[in-house]
Amino acid sequence: MSEEKSKTALLKEQLTMGEPKGIKSLSAEEIQKADEFCEGYKTFLNASPVEREAVKYSVAAAQKVGFVEYDPNAQYKCGDKVYLVNRGKAIALAVIGKDGVKNGARLAIAHIDSPRIDLKPNPLYEANNLALFKTHYYGGLKKYQWTAIPLTLHGTVVKLGGETVDICWGDEENESCFCVTDLLPHLAQEQVTKPMSKAFTGEDLNVLVGSRPFDTEDKESELVKLNVLKILNDKYGITENDFLSAELCLVPSFKTKDIGFDSSMIGGYGHDDKVCAYPALMAAIDVENPQQTCVTYLTDKEEIGSDGNTGMQSDFLRYFIYDLAKQDGVEGYRALSKSICLSADVNAAFDPTYASAYEAKNSSYINNGVVISKYTGHGGKYDTSDASAEFMGKIRTMLENNKVLWQIGELGRVDLGGGGTIAKYVANMNVDVVDLGVPVLSMHAPFEIVSKTDVYMAYRAFFVFFDEK
Ligand code: MN
Ligand code: MN
């Protein structure tokens, strides 16, 4: 028998999509590079559960390689590296290109906020000799997932008079942490018959923060609460009123862990969307003398609709591009209209346990590379930017030419639900944009999972996008 392929087999190879290339197409060297890249990513993720911390990490990493704070009155030349922080919660990093922004900028935009539990403005109370925090969850949570796991407190308090205190409690190995309690199964026979949305509500996300009374002979009430306030006052100099001007978040206290006997994946809190933010940050750090000015923008508030002055709907990035354009002697709107953008955001990886939530042919898969989502939205492509055929063609060609492993993916099956990203807000600025990011398992859970090679391919995608001549 001949080993030669039949004419039909050759035609099939030529005309059909075939099986995805997947991780089998990567060399051992590439997989090793991915593993090494992810060590840096794990450090970033552990250091940055909330957006302010991600900004601090990014500033330090950028300064180390020569980025300086942006000065709108300075004149920049090709290769110069600048950054601009927005209210401590978002950051733009630009590497000035040979053409500046005359022919538009290259934008990679990711968000650095993640689903979590925020404290209410008046959070602390005592009930049955326990001290607890009232909370208001942030972003899309399955609330039951946040019970009975260790939580740490991160955030900022502004005292009367304006002094700022950063709070981080529960991260150290031997430091105490906090927890939302849950009902034992024996007493949950009513609870378990309720639909999931009713079995555990937002007002049930009360966080246990103390149980010992303040040590006194005085006959006073609420001494457990007083004891908590005394501890906070001793450590941070704050009082109960200072909670009124604070941003305090509870996030899972566990650090990242490799997943699988083969350590091929990473489990951790906040992959969505630090897993795209870090590769986009590293692409800005690594690119040198690009043709067009490259901008990595790490934004806030995506998980709650991108509203507010640190979210993608703010004019912060628009004005930054306008300032860059002014220095290049072009109108800001012209620079924007020629700009192109990769909206760096995760997609839900196909999960065989929940296969019915996906449509297999148009889902992204762990280890098949960075995923492009042409559109997101819900209910008949509502509420999304739908990337043009032309722009899809351009990005596809770029990835293929540079041997970046990539795949296409929709977020779940049609009409099941849906989601949104920052892409539509970028598109509304008259910019060509498409979502490109890392497939995630257990997205929005306290412990999400990504593949190391997919993380690395996200970095490769952003880098070749910035480096393209
Ligand atoms: Mn995201
Ligand atoms: Mn999300």
Side-chain angles (χ1 to χ4, degrees):
M1 288 288 284
S2 159
E3 289 293 313
E4 270 177 45
K5 288 179 183 169
S6 71
K7 271 190 182 158
T8 314
L10 286 170
L11 191 65
K12 210 173 165 189
E13 208 172 276
Q14 191 189 349
L15 297 186
T16 68
M17 200 178 262
E19 288 297 306
K21 281 186 281 187
I23 194 171
K24 290 191 297 295
S25 67
L26 301 180
S27 67
E29 289 75 35
E30 276 174 303
I31 290 172
Q32 196 189 335
K33 271 188 193 163
D35 289 351
E36 283 163 15
F37 182 82
C38 284
E39 290 306 306
Y41 170 56
K42 288 192 272 183
T43 306
F44 170 77
L45 190 60
N46 286 333
S48 314
V50 299
E51 57 277 357
R52 285 177 195 267
E53 291 160 327
V55 168
K56 278 186 191 153
Y57 186 101
S58 303
V59 168
Q63 283 176 339
K64 224 185 249 178
V65 295
F67 278 78
V68 295
E69 198 173 354
Y70 178 69
D71 174 0
N73 299 312
Q75 202 60 43
Y76 294 104
K77 58 179 190 318
C78 176
D80 283 349
K81 298 170 173 200
V82 295
Y83 68 88
L84 187 63
V85 172
N86 180 8
R87 296 169 171 86
K89 293 191 265 187
I91 179 172
L93 304 110
V95 182
I96 308 299
K98 291 189 185 81
D99 301 339
V101 295
K102 282 191 189 113
N103 299 318
R106 298 235 162 180
L107 309 168
I109 308 179
H111 67 92
I112 45 176
D113 61 318
S114 301
R116 63 179 186 234
I117 305 174
D118 284 350
L119 296 200
K120 286 191 182 187
N122 183 11
L124 185 60
Y125 68 105
E126 179 171 332
N128 305 97
N129 300 321
L130 297 175
L132 299 121
F133 277 151
K134 289 302 294 180
T135 68
H136 199 138
Y137 67 99
Y138 175 97
L141 301 187
K142 284 161 95 176
K143 296 169 192 93
Y144 76 90
Q145 293 180 331
W146 295 74
T147 67
I149 58 168
L151 301 168
T152 65
L153 186 67
H154 288 243
T156 297
V157 179
V158 178
K159 297 205 269 187
L160 202 60
E163 190 198 336
T164 299
V165 186
D166 285 335
I167 290 187
C168 179
W169 189 304
D171 261 5
E172 298 304 320
E173 187 89 47
N174 296 317
E175 207 168 15
S176 64
C177 59
F178 314 99
C179 193
V180 177
T181 55
D182 199 358
L183 191 59
L184 85 164
H186 313 61
L187 295 182
Q189 288 180 20
E190 280 173 14
Q191 187 190 36
V192 296
T193 60
K194 291 179 188 173
M196 208 189 274
S197 62
K198 300 237 165 64
F200 201 94
T201 69
E203 288 294 353
D204 295 329
L205 283 173
N206 302 318
V207 181
L208 187 59
V209 297
S211 69
R212 278 188 191 166
F214 181 69
D215 188 12
T216 177
E217 298 299 309
D218 298 334
K219 295 273 171 282
E220 290 288 335
S221 62
E222 301 204 326
L223 289 174
V224 178
K225 173 179 167 179
L226 184 68
N227 196 42
V228 166
L229 284 170
K230 181 73 172 62
I231 291 164
L232 286 170
N233 188 261
D234 287 347
K235 177 143 182 182
Y236 299 112
I238 60 173
T239 68
E240 188 174 18
N241 276 319
D242 292 324
F243 283 121
L244 298 174
S245 47
E247 289 173 6
L248 291 166
C249 320
L250 286 146
V251 296
S253 69
F254 28 77
K255 300 289 178 193
T256 59
K257 294 286 276 181
D258 283 355
I259 299 287
F261 288 116
D262 53 9
S263 297
S264 58
M265 297 164 282
I266 308 167
Y269 163 69
H271 282 316
D272 178 9
D273 229 295
K274 278 82 162 194
V275 77
C276 295
Y278 182 75
L281 170 68
M282 292 312 290
I285 281 176
D286 290 346
V287 73
E288 278 176 19
N289 302 316
Q291 191 70 34
Q292 290 170 266
T293 294
C294 299
V295 179
T296 287
Y297 183 47
L298 306 181
T299 184
D300 177 31
K301 298 282 181 284
E302 193 275 345
E303 295 296 354
I304 56 168
S306 297
D307 289 295
N309 55 15
T310 56
M312 196 59 225
Q313 296 199 62
S314 142
D315 282 327
F316 179 82
L317 182 67
R318 180 197 298 273
Y319 292 161
F320 182 56
I321 302 289
Y322 282 9
D323 276 342
L324 291 172
K326 202 171 164 191
Q327 288 166 344
D328 292 341
V330 282
E331 291 283 354
Y333 73 89
R334 286 200 189 279
L336 267 181
S337 64
K338 290 179 182 171
S339 294
I340 56 176
C341 176
L342 295 179
S343 162
D345 213 324
V346 296
N347 198 323
F350 186 90
D351 186 335
T353 305
Y354 302 99
S356 68
Y358 302 83
E359 188 266 291
K361 269 178 79 68
N362 288 280
S363 292
S364 62
Y365 294 80
I366 287 286
N367 276 340
N368 277 2
V370 70
V371 51
I372 294 187
S373 312
K374 188 172 180 293
Y375 48 83
T376 56
H378 58 93
K381 295 193 175 183
Y382 206 84
D383 256 337
T384 184
S385 162
D386 191 345
S388 68
E390 290 86 347
F391 193 57
M392 287 296 288
K394 179 181 171 56
I395 297 303
R396 197 183 129 205
T397 305
M398 178 193 81
L399 296 175
E400 290 292 337
N401 286 347
N402 290 283
K403 298 190 166 52
V404 179
L405 187 63
W406 72 281
Q407 56 184 321
I408 202 84
E410 271 199 350
L411 188 82
R413 70 175 153 83
V414 174
D415 284 344
L416 177 64
T421 65
I422 57 98
K424 64 175 177 173
Y425 307 115
V426 179
N428 291 348
M429 293 198 289
N430 199 24
V431 171
D432 271 312
V433 57
V434 69
D435 282 305
L436 180 148
V438 176
V440 180
L441 287 168
S442 303
M443 200 201 289
H444 280 212
F447 195 70
E448 303 172 303
I449 293 166
V450 295
S451 130
K452 290 181 180 176
T453 53
D454 295 340
V455 179
Y456 181 61
M457 285 301 149
Y459 164 75
R460 292 260 299 114
F462 300 131
F463 183 81
V464 299
F465 179 66
F466 280 174
D467 200 44
E468 201 178 34
K469 302 298 178 207

